[in-house]
Amino acid sequence: DIQMTQSPSTLSASVGDRVTITCRASQSINTWLAWYQQKPGKAPNLLIYRASSLESGVPSRFSGSGSGTEFTLTISSLQPDDFATYYCQQYNTYYTFGQGTKLEIK
Amino acid sequence: VQLVESGGGLVQPGGSLRLSCAASGFTFSSYWMSWVRQAPGKGLEWVANIKEDGSEKYYVDSVKGRFTISRDNAKNSLYLQMNSLRAEDTAVYYCARARMTSSWAPADYWGQGTLVTVSS
């Protein structure tokens, strides 16, 4: 089974900050990686697919990069609506989610 | 696009429950569909996937032999039959649609979720 490990688990930041979340796969997944945002009590929202492709309607301040086993999600300038929990997901072999990164207001 | 889950509730350990997901606003028979769950206060866990025609089904190891995913394309509906339920199956269960037709892909539309509680 492919394991996904996100870091950090919690991130404190301020509006306007640039933040980066990392996701590591236990084996190569090429670029079969997605990123989701989830707010409390809501379903996840797809942000990025194929490691770096922005889903339609997602603000351009979100970007993704990486291949193989190392991936990053970057938010270029945090907005108040961005404080949420973020999950990576591999879809190379079945699906596996990372444990999540909670982005908190500093 | 709309996905509406139903069928959740309180069930005793060892019991059974059938979840349903009613789909509308897209050609249901053209998409892989998934069930994903989230235990209270925990992260997301993929449960099962089914191909657009129902010919392929995949499960996470922890539910193999206990859960069955199925679909009825004539009724635009997705199902999850859950047997031999355990306390650790307690979660909100989401149905979700793959973002591309006829493709194993991440999910771009999700339902609102239905809560399953396994407890005596």
Side-chain angles (χ1 to χ4, degrees):
Chain A
D1 293 1
I2 299 175
Q3 308 301 319
M4 306 300 293
T5 303
Q6 288 181 233
S7 60
S9 295
T10 307
L11 180 57
S12 297
S14 302
V15 172
D17 284 354
R18 177 184 180 92
V19 299
T20 297
I21 299 169
T22 298
C23 181
R24 291 184 174 86
S26 60
Q27 64 189 75
S28 177
I29 57 170
N30 197 337
T31 55
W32 302 113
L33 185 101
W35 288 97
Y36 296 87
Q37 177 194 70
Q38 188 181 33
K39 297 182 179 179
K42 300 295 186 181
N45 181 45
L46 179 63
L47 302 174
I48 302 283
Y49 63 95
R50 203 68 197 270
S52 61
S53 295
L54 195 66
E55 178 69 358
S56 176
V58 174
S60 59
R61 63 182 180 272
F62 291 93
S63 64
S65 65
S67 66
T69 61
E70 294 263 342
F71 302 87
T72 60
L73 173 70
T74 299
I75 309 172
S76 61
S77 178
L78 272 174
Q79 298 303 301
D81 191 49
D82 299 338
F83 293 95
T85 299
Y86 292 84
Y87 294 93
C88 63
Q89 177 204 39
Q90 68 83 18
Y91 53 106
N92 180 78
T93 306
Y94 307 127
Y95 287 170
T96 313
F97 290 93
Q99 81 278 14
T101 295
K102 186 175 183 179
L103 181 52
E104 300 180 328
I105 301 175
K106 183 183 287 184
Chain B
V1 173
Q2 194 169 17
L3 298 168
V4 180
E5 301 96 336
S6 61
L10 176 63
V11 60
Q12 291 188 340
S16 298
L17 213 53
R18 188 195 196 205
L19 306 183
S20 299
C21 173
S24 60
F26 66 101
T27 305
F28 180 71
S29 59
S30 295
Y31 290 84
W32 281 80
M33 297 294 296
S34 301
W35 287 100
V36 175
R37 67 185 179 183
Q38 187 168 35
K42 302 298 184 183
L44 300 168
E45 181 183 38
W46 167 71
V47 175
N49 272 18
I50 185 168
K51 195 175 180 179
E52 55 267 25
D53 61 359
S55 62
E56 295 180 35
K57 305 175 184 181
Y58 301 95
Y59 301 90
V60 68
D61 285 348
S62 60
V63 309
K64 283 180 183 175
R66 300 189 300 122
F67 290 12
T68 302
I69 188 172
S70 63
R71 63 192 298 161
D72 185 335
N73 286 345
K75 294 183 177 180
N76 290 337
S77 293
L78 177 72
Y79 306 102
L80 186 67
Q81 177 66 44
M82 303 186 295
N83 299 330
S84 303
L85 282 160
R86 306 167 180 166
E88 54 265 36
D89 296 319
T90 295
V92 173
Y93 285 74
Y94 295 100
C95 72
R97 185 194 85 165
R99 68 173 298 281
M100 291 172 58
T101 58
S102 304
S103 296
W104 182 276
D108 61 348
Y109 283 95
W110 298 64
Q112 83 288 351
T114 188
L115 177 62
V116 172
T117 303
V118 184
S119 175
S120 56

Coordinates of all heavy atoms in Angstrom, one line a residue, chain A residues 3-39:
Chain A
Q3 N 1.6 4.9 1.2 CA 1.4 5.8 2.4 C 1.7 7.2 2.0 O 2.7 7.4 1.3 CB 2.2 5.4 3.6 CG 2.1 3.9 3.9 CD 0.7 3.4 4.2 OE1 -0.1 4.2 4.9 NE2 0.3 2.3 3.8
M4 N 0.9 8.1 2.4 CA 1.1 9.5 2.2 C 1.3 10.3 3.5 O 0.5 10.1 4.4 CB -0.1 10.1 1.4 CG -0.5 9.4 0.2 SD 0.8 9.4 -1.1 CE 0.9 11.1 -1.5
T5 N 2.4 11.0 3.6 CA 2.7 11.7 4.8 C 2.8 13.2 4.5 O 3.6 13.7 3.7 CB 4.1 11.3 5.4 OG1 4.0 9.8 5.6 CG2 4.4 11.9 6.7
Q6 N 2.0 14.0 5.2 CA 2.0 15.5 5.1 C 2.7 16.1 6.2 O 2.8 15.6 7.3 CB 0.5 16.0 5.1 CG -0.2 15.7 3.8 CD -1.6 16.3 3.9 OE1 -2.6 15.5 3.7 NE2 -1.8 17.6 4.2
S7 N 3.3 17.3 5.9 CA 4.0 18.1 6.9 C 3.9 19.5 6.6 O 3.9 19.9 5.4 CB 5.4 17.7 7.1 OG 6.2 17.9 5.9
P8 N 3.6 20.4 7.6 CA 3.4 20.0 9.0 C 2.0 19.6 9.2 O 1.2 19.6 8.3 CB 3.7 21.3 9.7 CG 3.2 22.4 8.8 CD 3.6 21.9 7.4
S9 N 1.7 19.1 10.4 CA 0.3 18.7 10.7 C -0.5 19.9 11.0 O -1.7 20.0 10.7 CB 0.3 17.8 11.9 OG 0.9 16.6 11.6
T10 N 0.1 21.0 11.6 CA -0.6 22.2 11.8 C 0.4 23.3 11.4 O 1.6 23.3 11.6 CB -0.9 22.4 13.3 OG1 -1.6 21.3 13.8 CG2 -1.7 23.7 13.6
L11 N -0.2 24.4 10.8 CA 0.6 25.5 10.3 C -0.2 26.8 10.7 O -1.3 27.0 10.4 CB 0.7 25.4 8.8 CG 1.5 26.5 8.1 CD1 2.9 26.6 8.6 CD2 1.5 26.2 6.6
S12 N 0.5 27.7 11.4 CA 0.0 29.0 11.8 C 0.6 30.0 10.9 O 1.8 30.1 10.8 CB 0.3 29.3 13.3 OG -0.3 28.3 14.2
A13 N -0.3 30.8 10.4 CA 0.1 31.9 9.4 C -0.8 33.1 9.5 O -1.9 33.0 10.0 CB 0.2 31.3 8.0
S14 N -0.4 34.1 8.8 CA -1.2 35.4 8.8 C -1.7 35.7 7.4 O -1.1 35.2 6.4 CB -0.4 36.5 9.3 OG 0.1 36.3 10.6
V15 N -2.8 36.4 7.3 CA -3.2 36.9 6.0 C -2.1 37.6 5.3 O -1.4 38.4 5.8 CB -4.5 37.8 6.2 CG1 -4.8 38.4 4.8 CG2 -5.6 37.1 6.8
G16 N -1.9 37.2 4.0 CA -0.9 37.8 3.2 C 0.4 36.9 3.1 O 1.2 37.1 2.2
D17 N 0.5 36.0 4.0 CA 1.7 35.1 4.1 C 1.7 34.1 2.9 O 0.7 33.8 2.3 CB 1.8 34.3 5.3 CG 2.2 35.0 6.6 OD1 2.6 36.2 6.4 OD2 2.1 34.5 7.7
R18 N 2.9 33.7 2.5 CA 3.1 32.6 1.5 C 3.3 31.4 2.4 O 4.2 31.4 3.2 CB 4.3 32.9 0.6 CG 4.6 31.8 -0.4 CD 5.9 32.2 -1.1 NE 6.3 31.2 -2.1 CZ 5.9 31.2 -3.4 NH1 5.1 32.2 -3.8 NH2 6.3 30.3 -4.2
V19 N 2.6 30.3 2.1 CA 2.7 29.1 2.9 C 2.9 27.9 1.9 O 2.4 27.9 0.8 CB 1.5 28.8 3.8 CG1 1.4 30.0 4.8 CG2 0.2 28.6 3.0
T20 N 3.6 26.9 2.4 CA 3.9 25.7 1.7 C 3.6 24.5 2.5 O 4.0 24.4 3.7 CB 5.3 25.6 1.2 OG1 5.5 26.7 0.3 CG2 5.6 24.3 0.4
I21 N 2.9 23.5 2.0 CA 2.6 22.2 2.6 C 3.2 21.2 1.8 O 3.2 21.2 0.6 CB 1.1 22.0 2.7 CG1 0.4 23.1 3.6 CG2 0.8 20.6 3.3 CD1 -1.1 23.1 3.5
T22 N 3.9 20.2 2.5 CA 4.6 19.1 1.8 C 3.9 17.8 2.0 O 3.3 17.5 3.0 CB 6.0 19.0 2.4 OG1 6.7 20.2 2.1 CG2 6.8 17.9 1.7
C23 N 3.9 17.0 0.9 CA 3.3 15.7 0.9 C 4.3 14.7 0.4 O 4.9 14.9 -0.7 CB 2.1 15.7 0.1 SG 1.2 14.1 0.0
R24 N 4.6 13.6 1.1 CA 5.6 12.6 0.6 C 4.9 11.3 0.5 O 4.1 10.8 1.3 CB 6.7 12.5 1.6 CG 7.7 13.7 1.6 CD 8.9 13.4 2.5 NE 9.8 14.5 2.4 CZ 9.8 15.7 3.1 NH1 8.8 15.8 4.0 NH2 10.7 16.6 3.0
A25 N 5.2 10.6 -0.7 CA 4.6 9.3 -0.9 C 5.6 8.2 -0.6 O 6.8 8.4 -0.7 CB 4.2 9.1 -2.4
S26 N 5.2 7.1 -0.1 CA 6.1 6.0 0.3 C 6.7 5.3 -0.9 O 7.7 4.5 -0.7 CB 5.3 5.0 1.1 OG 4.2 4.4 0.4
Q27 N 6.2 5.5 -2.1 CA 6.8 5.1 -3.3 C 6.4 6.0 -4.4 O 5.5 6.8 -4.3 CB 6.4 3.6 -3.6 CG 4.9 3.4 -3.9 CD 4.6 1.9 -4.0 OE1 4.5 1.2 -3.0 NE2 4.3 1.5 -5.2
S28 N 7.1 5.9 -5.6 CA 6.8 6.8 -6.7 C 5.3 6.7 -7.1 O 4.8 5.6 -7.4 CB 7.7 6.6 -7.8 OG 7.4 7.5 -8.9
I29 N 4.7 7.9 -7.3 CA 3.4 8.0 -7.8 C 3.3 8.8 -9.1 O 2.3 9.3 -9.5 CB 2.4 8.5 -6.8 CG1 2.8 9.9 -6.2 CG2 2.2 7.5 -5.6 CD1 1.7 10.5 -5.4
N30 N 4.5 9.0 -9.7 CA 4.6 9.9 -10.9 C 4.0 11.2 -10.5 O 4.5 11.9 -9.6 CB 3.8 9.2 -12.0 CG 4.2 9.8 -13.4 OD1 4.6 10.9 -13.5 ND2 3.9 9.1 -14.5
T31 N 3.0 11.7 -11.2 CA 2.3 13.0 -10.8 C 0.8 12.7 -10.5 O 0.0 13.7 -10.6 CB 2.5 14.0 -11.9 OG1 2.0 13.5 -13.1 CG2 3.9 14.4 -12.1
W32 N 0.5 11.5 -10.1 CA -0.9 11.2 -9.8 C -1.2 11.6 -8.4 O -1.4 10.8 -7.5 CB -1.1 9.7 -10.0 CG -0.8 9.2 -11.3 CD1 0.2 8.3 -11.7 CD2 -1.5 9.6 -12.6 NE1 0.2 8.1 -13.1 CE2 -0.8 8.9 -13.6 CE3 -2.6 10.4 -12.9 CZ2 -1.2 9.0 -14.9 CZ3 -3.0 10.5 -14.2 CH2 -2.3 9.8 -15.2
L33 N -1.2 12.9 -8.2 CA -1.5 13.5 -6.9 C -2.5 14.7 -7.0 O -2.4 15.5 -7.9 CB -0.2 14.0 -6.2 CG -0.4 14.5 -4.8 CD1 0.0 13.5 -3.8 CD2 0.2 15.9 -4.6
A34 N -3.4 14.7 -6.0 CA -4.4 15.8 -5.9 C -4.3 16.4 -4.5 O -3.8 15.8 -3.6 CB -5.8 15.2 -6.1
W35 N -4.7 17.7 -4.5 CA -4.9 18.4 -3.2 C -6.3 18.9 -3.0 O -6.9 19.3 -4.0 CB -4.0 19.7 -3.2 CG -2.5 19.4 -3.2 CD1 -1.6 19.3 -4.2 CD2 -1.7 19.2 -2.0 NE1 -0.3 19.0 -3.7 CE2 -0.4 19.0 -2.4 CE3 -2.0 19.1 -0.6 CZ2 0.7 18.7 -1.5 CZ3 -1.0 18.9 0.3 CH2 0.3 18.7 -0.1
Y36 N -6.8 18.8 -1.8 CA -8.1 19.2 -1.4 C -8.1 20.2 -0.3 O -7.2 20.1 0.6 CB -9.0 18.0 -1.0 CG -9.3 17.0 -2.0 CD1 -8.4 15.9 -2.3 CD2 -10.4 17.0 -2.8 CE1 -8.6 14.9 -3.2 CE2 -10.7 16.0 -3.8 CZ -9.8 15.0 -4.0 OH -10.0 14.1 -4.9
Q37 N -9.1 21.0 -0.2 CA -9.3 21.9 0.9 C -10.6 21.4 1.6 O -11.6 21.2 0.9 CB -9.4 23.3 0.5 CG -9.8 24.3 1.6 CD -10.2 25.7 1.0 OE1 -11.3 25.8 0.4 NE2 -9.4 26.7 1.1
Q38 N -10.6 21.4 2.9 CA -11.9 21.0 3.6 C -12.1 22.0 4.8 O -11.2 22.2 5.6 CB -11.8 19.6 4.1 CG -13.2 19.2 4.7 CD -13.2 17.8 5.3 OE1 -12.2 17.3 5.8 NE2 -14.3 17.1 5.1
K39 N -13.3 22.5 4.9 CA -13.7 23.4 6.0 C -14.6 22.6 6.9 O -15.2 21.6 6.5 CB -14.4 24.6 5.5 CG -13.4 25.5 4.6 CD -14.0 26.7 4.1 CE -13.0 27.5 3.3 NZ -13.5 28.8 2.8

